[in-house]
Structures are given as C-alpha cells and as structure tokens.
Amino acid sequence: MSKHNIPREKVQQAIEILKEKDIDCWITFTRESDLSGEPSLSLILDSNVTWLSAFIVTKSGESIAIVGHGDVQAVETIGSFKEVIGYTQSFKEPFVDTITRLDPKEIALNYSLDNVSSDGLTHGMYLQLCDLLAGTDYPNRFISADPVVLAVRGRKTPSEIEAIKAAIKATEQILDEIPLYIKPGMSELDIFNWVHERMEFYGVEPSWDINYNPGVYAGPDSPLGHCFAEGSLLLEPGQTLVLDFGLKVNGYCSDLQRTWYVLKDGETEAPPHVQKTFNDMLAILEAGEKIIKPGVTGADVDAPMRQVITDRGYPEWGYAMGHEIGRSAHDGSICLGPEWQRYGSSVLIPLEEGNCFAVECGIKLEDVGFFHFEQDVLVTKDGMEYLSSKQTELYYIKG
Amino acid sequence: MSKHNIPREKVQQAIEILKEKDIDCWITFTRESDLSGEPSLSLILDSNVTWLSAFIVTKSGESIAIVGHGDVQAVETIGSFKEVIGYTQSFKEPFVDTITRLDPKEIALNYSLDNVSSDGLTHGMYLQLCDLLAGTDYPNRFISADPVVLAVRGRKTPSEIEAIKAAIKATEQILDEIPLYIKPGMSELDIFNWVHERMEFYGVEPSWDINYNPGVYAGPDSPLGHCFAEGSLLLEPGQTLVLDFGLKVNGYCSDLQRTWYVLKDGETEAPPHVQKTFNDMLAILEAGEKIIKPGVTGADVDAPMRQVITDRGYPEWGYAMGHEIGRSAHDGSICLGPEWQRYGSSVLIPLEEGNCFAVECGIKLEDVGFFHFEQDVLVTKDGMEYLSSKQTELYYIKG
C-alpha cells in the first residue's frame, strides 16, 4: 500500500460527499500547518504546508491545491490533489482567479461551533478570506463545512480501518504482557514507566500526550481523569488496576482500557462482590453495543448505558460513553454522550457506516478500585463489530 | 529544573506583558487541544485539555483556568494557573461568572490575520464565545491578542533558551558526523535514511515533519523546497551536499542548514570558483548579522542580505531570510523577509531582546549544487549572539 493511499482515497471520497450533500465547493484554508494544526489537512494531504495554502475540492470532481512554491513538489508527490498551483510572492492572484473560474454557489469552510474536527479554520484566517474576496459576492456564499468534514472524517475507508487495526494490535500486545511483568507493590509510576519501556522496545508512539498515556489507576485512591501517575500509590492485593492506553501507528490511533484484579494470597479468583462489579461493567457496555448502528445518535447509545449504571446503584458517570477514533485518539465530531451543554450537538449526530468508536465506561467499588472498559468498534451496515478484542472476563495479576 | 518551569515562567511573563501593553485580560479559549492545536496553550500549559477550556490571565495578576473536571488534576499539577475551576456539565456558568467578576475593559483573544502563532482561536470557537457572552457588553470588548502573544511567545525566558540550545546541540552532534559516514555514490535517500538511523540511535525527534527532515539536496539537480529525498539522485565528487535539519528536544526546536563539498580525486580543497561561492554565501549571511538587534524589523534584516545576492549576480532568493524558532521550527510571528504580500505584516514587527531566529539563505553554483546556511541566533540587548555554531568554512566530504 502506498503511504499516500489514504489522502488520495479521502479526496475522492470528498468529491462523492459534495455530490451527496449538493455542495459546490469545499475549501481547507491554512498556513504553517505544523503550528496551526488544521485537522482536515491530515486527511486530505497527510503532510504539512508552510505558506498560505488553499485545498479546494468541488462537486464537479476538481481537486486543486494552491500552495507556496516550496511546497509544490511534496504536494504533487502525495498526489491527492490533481491540480497543484504554486506561487512565489502572492497567494491572492491564483486564489481569486480559481474561485472566480469555479464560481461556486456555496463555499464550505472548516468552521463549526460544536465539532472540533470541522473547526480548523482560525478566526484570523476567516477574516483573511473575507479580505481576499472583498468586493466579490463570494463571502456571502460561505457556509460551514461541518456536514462535509463530518462525513469525510467519520466514514473510514478500508485503508484507514486497516491502519486503526494495526494501532490496536500494537496496543493489545503490550496490554497482554501486563500480568507477566506487573506485580503488587509496584507504584502507578512504576507501571507507567514499564509501559513506556515496552513502547520504546516496540518502537511505537503514544496516541495522546505521553504524560498521561497510559493513564494508570491503581486501587480506590487513584485520582481519576487525565492525571499524572503517582509514585506514592502502590498496587495492592485485593485491588484493581486500570490502564487507559493508546498508540498511534502510521498516523492512526487506538484508545483502550482494561481492568485487572490483583489476587490476594490464597485467592484463585476474584471474590463474588468483585466479580459482580465486573459483571455490572459488562452489562453497561453491552447495553450500548446493542444500540450501535447507522442512524442512531450518540445520545441514543449513551442513555441505556447510563441507565444501567444508576439501575445498579452506581453514581452517575461524569463523562460520555465514547468518542470517534482515527487520526486522533479523540477524533471526529460524534460523541456517544448525554445531552449536556458541554457536548453541544455532538451527541445528536446520526452514526454512519464506517465510523470507528472507542466505547468506554467506568464504575468504582469502594476499597477495591475502578472497573473501566474501553473497546474500539466499527459501525457496520446494520450494527457494529469489534476492532479490538473485548474484555469479557476479569484479568488477574498474581503476587 | 522542573518540567513545569517554562509554563509557570510564561504565565508570569504574560501578566507583566499585559501591564506593559495596558490590556486588562487575555483569554486562550480551546478544546480537544491535541486535535485543534492552539499554539499558545503549549506555552502557558505545556499540556493538552479535552473539554472546552478557558485560560485567563489578567493585568491585575490573576491566572484562572476553567477546565473540564477530568483535566483539573493535571492543570493543578502543572501549576502555571493559580486558580483552577473544574466543571462537569456546563462550562458556561463558571465562565460567565468569572468574566462578570473580572469585568475587563478589553478581552484579548487569539486571532490575527498575519501571525499564525497568535491565531489559535478557531472561527467556530469565536462564534461560540459570542454565544456564551450574548446579551452582555463583553463581545464588544474583544480585541486581537496579537501584541500579547507576540511578546509572550517571542521573548524567550532563560529556561526556554537553554531548551533551544539543547536541541541545537543534539542536531550539531549528528551534522558533525556527516563527513565520517557520508560518501560519494550515496543517494539523497541513503543520506536521509542514515540521518534517521542516527536520530534513532540518539533517541531524538524531528522538529518538523519527518518526511522532509532532514531536507537533503545532493548536487545541482536536486529539487529545492520541502521535497522528498530522491533514491535516484547520487552524490558525486565535485558537488555540494546541503542538509536542512532540525530536532525537537524537551519541546523546543532547532533548525539548521550546512553545506559540504565532495572532494574529487586528487583535490585537497575546493577549487576557487566553489570557494568563491561559499564566500559569497558567508557575505550574504554576515550582511544580516550586522543588522540584527532590538527595534529593527524583519524587512530591515532581509534587505541587505537580498542586496548582496543580486549584487554578486545570483538570482533572487524566493524565500525569507529567517524565522523565529522555539516550540516549533517555524515559531512565532516575526519573519526576516521581504515586503511581499504572502508575508503580510510579519516582516514589519520590531525585533525584541530574547527573540530566537533561524537565519538562512541559499545560492546555487551551476554544475556544483546549492550553498545553504541556516544558523540559530538570539537577539541580545544590543545585537545578536549565536546559539548554534557558525559555518565559517566549507566542510568537506572525501571519497
């Protein structure tokens, strides 16, 4: 597989999506992209540009990149844009000429109130576009590219799904080694450092900030969230260990959580109340699994999972039940979450075939610790399938 | 040195800069920051946040972070913001309450037409801020934070300068090994791969996209710019080799270029016309060195360098003569470039003490190849000093 397959697939997919949505033209407008980080650029180019650049895709099937002359050769080599226009002194002329020639009825731009993946256009760049096209009717034709980006980013192509599977495989390889190396008496920080040693051994990168990846939660006193591992918190028999861990392989990410129980001396399995909590966790997860299919919303998936939590007497879960994965560990715009203000409309977007999610949840057993799951799944034509393995039994760490 | 020293230094520096500029309040407003990449966040937090977050610094000396509850512990541990307010369901309430309490006359936001480092606020987030504060007078008090961000990002603190020096040292270590390992007959791609092996050996990261880092230009037929190294272009005796190479160490970047001449059989030094081209290159660089000091603009530095190029009969250089370095290899807002439309006002900003630049230029000798310099310098109180070594003689590669 050429390393440039994915951006080429994504630009072709974008043309089809513009046809489907009946939108004339989509522009990704960026500069110094290693600094400004326009999330759509990685999809359609999978590289950075230095100078002011416009990446234009049209419903009629054109794909045009206008880039600084120093970026021309790289953009041509990647080959996702059929026409590459280079400039030396002024971006304005080729850009205005191209827009005038295309004369699109709608110009979809990457801004969105709710969806961070569709919101790569900075406010300054928006003002700059208005300046560049001042005196023409085109600023009146600006619309949010949200539906376009949502589909282009969310509908994973076969090459993208393979890339995500490779990231998951690398992650599970290290997770599977946990019982071989991790022993009671190790601190959260020891476990954190051990995972980093294994990552170095396998030559793999984290899929989010390495300061919190893996998240390590040993026993009931661990603070939850995006926390630094604690050197003073020791894993003890009779407690659980949770790892929240993801890797990025060839630009695509995994995001997984697993729960282990540390057997006490003489125990061969977890005591009934621990096993019951694990079963409750599984019931929460499976309430979501049954719902996931094209057409349902994130709130639809979240609600029955949240219901099982409270039905079984646990405190409300303060997070969503899942998020897209892809180029980033928190990818895309769809959130499997409740209708809280902080989630905006991201929980009301219908799921589509090809979406990839991390489905997650957690409960806590006093004096024992956290029980967390996070599994990676693909939305199929009429349901879902696992991309990762599914934790169906409590894993054990022995003394 | 604590790893959190730099963000703590930067927030304190920001308070002083707000006093100096007489601006009441600066807000960095972001979400899912590993995806959206707000460039100011790395300075003041050096970490990512997941949920909608506001980082508020005031002229009166307050520093307040409003973040999702899952990010609270990490933001508190970093300690750059004195007050950390967590929320679970709604960001709006603590945010509006805080702004109402502060009642700032100006609210500086990260948008800028010209300066990418000051332009981290997306257009969708700008619209969201307007929504959050709808019905109040605060949207009328929004101003661009450009002068604030320019100073906070551009004026490197002592800890930041040390970090840049460490990145330069790692880069020069590999560059110094070039004559030991690189031989005529190797292709650009061989040289590119060799540098990557050395990076792996030393365990160091590239400071820009690894697909173009190092840039390798062997002989006169190499395409210039951000190009992929060519497997078919072989380095030959009588040609030059240019490497454009930078590393990121502890979050700070170097960006260097060096030129080697490949001696022919029997040669012990470069022939006079090659040496002359090297001397011309040095003269271009030194024309810039003499000018650099606080108060001059990037265009002031660019002009005499550009003049030497044409005076000595070379074609016009199609790039700027330098850029800031720091968190990113192309950092900050000041460009040492000509007054071309594509550079906007970035070439008209006065240099300040503490700014760090990569100063670069290139000329070409037909049938021999490129002669490129790029050195990293610090603007001092009344001039500049080198952070990297300076190439004052042509380096040789032997057969």
Side-chain angles (χ1 to χ4, degrees):
Chain A
M1 183 177 100
S2 158
K3 61 189 290 193
H4 305 312
N5 269 11
I6 292 179
R8 291 173 191 174
E9 283 175 16
K10 297 311 282 184
V11 172
Q12 289 312 303
Q13 190 185 31
I15 292 169
E16 295 309 312
I17 287 165
L18 290 172
K19 285 179 189 162
E20 177 190 315
K21 312 274 180 197
D22 196 22
I23 293 172
D24 269 5
C25 170
W26 172 40
I27 303 181
T28 296
F29 182 54
T30 191
R31 60 180 166 185
E32 290 279 3
S33 60
D34 59 338
L35 196 60
S36 62
E38 160 50 271
S40 291
L41 193 69
S42 61
L43 292 174
I44 58 180
L45 191 72
D46 196 12
S47 184
N48 289 319
V49 288
T50 302
W51 297 278
L52 209 59
S53 303
F55 297 90
I56 304 168
V57 182
T58 74
K59 191 174 76 177
S60 63
E62 291 195 64
S63 56
I64 306 159
I66 304 173
V67 297
H69 66 158
D71 287 323
V72 166
Q73 195 246 6
V75 174
E76 283 179 345
T77 303
I78 292 164
S80 51
F81 285 78
K82 278 188 202 141
E83 187 180 352
V84 181
I85 301 172
Y87 70 90
T88 299
Q89 295 201 4
S90 173
F91 168 85
K92 184 172 180 169
E93 200 174 296
F95 177 70
V96 173
D97 286 355
T98 301
I99 297 300
T100 308
R101 175 178 71 74
L102 295 172
D103 192 27
K105 288 197 298 291
E106 309 86 14
I107 300 174
L109 301 177
N110 298 340
Y111 65 86
S112 165
L113 265 74
D114 288 324
N115 300 326
V116 61
S117 299
S118 317
D119 194 32
L121 181 69
T122 62
H123 186 54
M125 289 290 274
Y126 173 84
L127 297 175
Q128 189 159 145
L129 264 184
C130 294
D131 271 8
L132 284 163
L133 297 169
T136 73
D137 186 49
Y138 297 114
N140 299 322
R141 305 183 193 180
F142 291 164
I143 60 170
S144 165
D146 207 9
V148 178
V149 177
L150 184 67
V152 173
R153 193 168 195 101
R155 296 177 194 171
K156 264 67 179 179
T157 65
S159 303
E160 289 183 291
I161 293 168
E162 286 315 303
I164 292 171
K165 281 183 177 170
I168 291 168
K169 194 175 165 193
T171 314
E172 292 188 331
Q173 188 164 28
I174 294 176
L175 289 171
D176 288 347
E177 294 173 359
I178 287 280
L180 304 177
Y181 292 95
I182 302 306
K183 298 295 164 198
M186 290 173 78
S187 71
E188 287 189 347
L189 190 60
D190 292 334
I191 297 166
F192 180 85
N193 289 334
W194 174 84
V195 173
H196 285 193
E197 280 166 29
R198 298 311 289 166
M199 287 168 65
E200 200 167 325
F201 176 82
Y202 290 117
V204 288
E205 280 185 88
S207 61
W208 65 89
D209 188 338
I210 195 158
N211 290 308
Y212 321 118
N213 187 350
V216 180
Y217 310 109
D221 298 328
S222 183
L224 204 60
H226 285 193
C227 304
F228 295 106
E230 292 278 348
S232 57
L233 262 175
L234 306 185
L235 182 65
E236 292 176 21
Q239 293 184 342
T240 55
L241 169 69
V242 167
L243 250 68
D244 185 356
F245 182 41
L247 295 176
K248 181 178 276 192
V249 174
N250 292 326
Y252 280 78
C253 295
S254 67
D255 188 358
L256 296 172
Q257 292 186 67
R258 295 287 179 264
T259 302
W260 293 263
Y261 172 73
V262 186
L263 291 168
K264 291 182 185 173
D265 274 356
E267 280 182 344
T268 56
E269 57 178 23
H273 69 299
V274 171
Q275 186 59 54
K276 181 194 168 297
T277 310
F278 180 85
N279 294 345
D280 288 342
M281 183 69 244
L282 204 54
I284 298 164
L285 181 76
E286 290 179 347
E289 271 181 26
K290 280 184 216 152
I291 303 293
I292 294 175
K293 66 178 179 185
V296 305
T297 67
D300 292 337
V301 177
D302 176 271
M305 295 176 74
R306 199 166 292 277
Q307 188 65 44
V308 175
I309 293 176
T310 47
D311 284 354
R312 300 203 177 197
Y314 297 97
E316 181 160 37
W317 176 240
Y319 303 82
M321 300 292 177
H323 51 82
E324 287 185 80
I325 54 170
R327 285 266 165 200
S328 169
H330 280 210
D331 199 68
S333 304
I334 304 179
C335 175
L336 308 180
E339 293 185 43
W340 293 345
Q341 187 266 346
R342 87 170 198 228
Y343 293 120
S345 71
S346 67
V347 300
L348 302 174
I349 302 166
L351 274 53
E352 295 190 320
E353 187 181 350
N355 292 163
C356 292
F357 287 99
V359 183
E360 63 182 311
C361 189
I363 50 180
K364 184 178 176 180
L365 182 59
E366 275 312 314
D367 304 326
V368 173
F370 297 96
F371 292 70
H372 280 213
F373 282 168
E374 187 164 9
Q375 341 252 7
D376 296 339
V377 309
L378 167 69
V379 180
T380 57
K381 197 175 166 192
D382 49 14
M384 53 148 275
E385 67 182 44
Y386 274 89
L387 296 172
S388 65
S389 64
K390 174 181 174 182
Q391 183 174 4
T392 56
E393 53 188 53
L394 193 49
Y395 300 144
Y396 293 127
I397 290 172
K398 289 171 191 162
Chain B
M1 183 178 99
S2 159
K3 62 191 288 196
H4 305 313
N5 269 11
I6 291 178
R8 291 174 192 173
E9 283 175 13
K10 297 311 279 185
V11 171
Q12 289 310 305
Q13 191 184 33
I15 292 169
E16 295 309 312
I17 287 164
L18 290 172
K19 286 179 191 165
E20 177 190 317
K21 310 275 181 198
D22 196 21
I23 292 173
D24 268 6
C25 170
W26 172 41
I27 304 181
T28 295
F29 183 53
T30 190
R31 60 181 166 185
E32 290 278 2
S33 60
D34 58 335
L35 195 60
S36 62
E38 158 54 90
S40 291
L41 193 68
S42 60
L43 292 176
I44 57 178
L45 191 73
D46 196 13
S47 183
N48 289 318
V49 289
T50 303
W51 296 279
L52 207 59
S53 304
F55 296 90
I56 304 168
V57 182
T58 74
K59 192 175 73 177
S60 62
E62 290 195 63
S63 55
I64 306 159
I66 304 173
V67 297
H69 66 158
D71 287 324
V72 166
Q73 195 248 3
V75 174
E76 283 180 344
T77 303
I78 292 163
S80 50
F81 284 78
K82 280 188 200 139
E83 188 181 352
V84 181
I85 302 171
Y87 70 90
T88 299
Q89 295 201 3
S90 172
F91 169 84
K92 184 172 181 170
E93 201 173 297
F95 177 70
V96 174
D97 286 355
T98 302
I99 296 301
T100 308
R101 176 177 71 74
L102 294 172
D103 192 28
K105 289 197 298 289
E106 310 85 12
I107 300 175
L109 301 178
N110 297 339
Y111 64 86
S112 166
L113 266 75
D114 287 324
N115 299 326
V116 62
S117 299
S118 317
D119 195 32
L121 181 71
T122 63
H123 187 54
M125 289 290 273
Y126 173 83
L127 297 174
Q128 190 160 141
L129 264 184
C130 294
D131 271 8
L132 284 163
L133 296 170
T136 73
D137 186 49
Y138 298 113
N140 300 321
R141 305 184 193 179
F142 293 164
I143 60 171
S144 165
D146 207 9
V148 178
V149 177
L150 183 68
V152 173
R153 194 170 194 101
R155 296 179 195 170
K156 265 63 178 180
T157 65
S159 303
E160 289 182 291
I161 293 167
E162 285 315 303
I164 292 170
K165 281 184 178 170
I168 291 168
K169 194 176 164 192
T171 314
E172 292 188 332
Q173 188 165 30
I174 295 175
L175 289 171
D176 288 347
E177 294 174 357
I178 287 280
L180 305 176
Y181 293 96
I182 302 306
K183 299 292 163 199
M186 290 172 77
S187 71
E188 287 190 346
L189 190 59
D190 292 334
I191 298 166
F192 180 83
N193 290 336
W194 173 84
V195 173
H196 285 194
E197 280 166 30
R198 297 310 289 165
M199 288 168 64
E200 200 168 326
F201 176 80
Y202 290 116
V204 288
E205 281 184 86
S207 62
W208 64 89
D209 189 337
I210 195 158
N211 289 308
Y212 321 119
N213 186 350
V216 181
Y217 310 108
D221 298 328
S222 182
L224 203 59
H226 285 193
C227 303
F228 295 106
E230 292 280 348
S232 57
L233 261 176
L234 307 185
L235 182 64
E236 291 176 22
Q239 292 184 342
T240 55
L241 169 69
V242 167
L243 250 69
D244 186 355
F245 182 40
L247 295 175
K248 180 180 277 194
V249 174
N250 293 325
Y252 281 77
C253 295
S254 67
D255 188 359
L256 296 172
Q257 292 187 66
R258 295 286 179 267
T259 302
W260 294 262
Y261 172 74
V262 186
L263 291 167
K264 292 183 184 172
D265 275 355
E267 280 182 343
T268 56
E269 57 179 22
H273 68 299
V274 171
Q275 188 59 52
K276 182 196 167 297
T277 311
F278 180 85
N279 295 346
D280 289 341
M281 183 68 244
L282 203 55
I284 297 164
L285 180 75
E286 291 179 346
E289 270 180 27
K290 279 183 218 154
I291 304 292
I292 293 176
K293 65 176 180 185
V296 305
T297 67
D300 291 337
V301 178
D302 176 271
M305 296 176 74
R306 198 166 294 277
Q307 189 63 44
V308 176
I309 293 176
T310 46
D311 283 354
R312 299 202 177 199
Y314 298 97
E316 181 159 38
W317 175 240
Y319 303 82
M321 301 292 176
H323 52 81
E324 285 186 81
I325 54 169
R327 285 266 165 201
S328 167
H330 280 208
D331 199 68
S333 305
I334 304 179
C335 175
L336 308 180
E339 293 185 43
W340 293 344
Q341 187 265 346
R342 88 171 196 226
Y343 293 119
S345 71
S346 67
V347 300
L348 301 175
I349 302 167
L351 275 53
E352 294 189 321
E353 186 181 351
N355 292 164
C356 291
F357 288 99
V359 183
E360 62 183 312
C361 188
I363 50 181
K364 185 178 176 180
L365 182 60
E366 275 313 314
D367 305 326
V368 172
F370 297 96
F371 291 70
H372 280 214
F373 283 167
E374 187 166 10
Q375 343 252 6
D376 297 339
V377 308
L378 167 69
V379 180
T380 58
K381 199 176 166 192
D382 49 13
M384 54 148 275
E385 66 181 47
Y386 275 88
L387 297 171
S388 65
S389 64
K390 174 180 173 182
Q391 183 174 3
T392 55
E393 53 189 54
L394 194 50
Y395 301 145
Y396 292 127
I397 290 171
K398 290 173 189 159

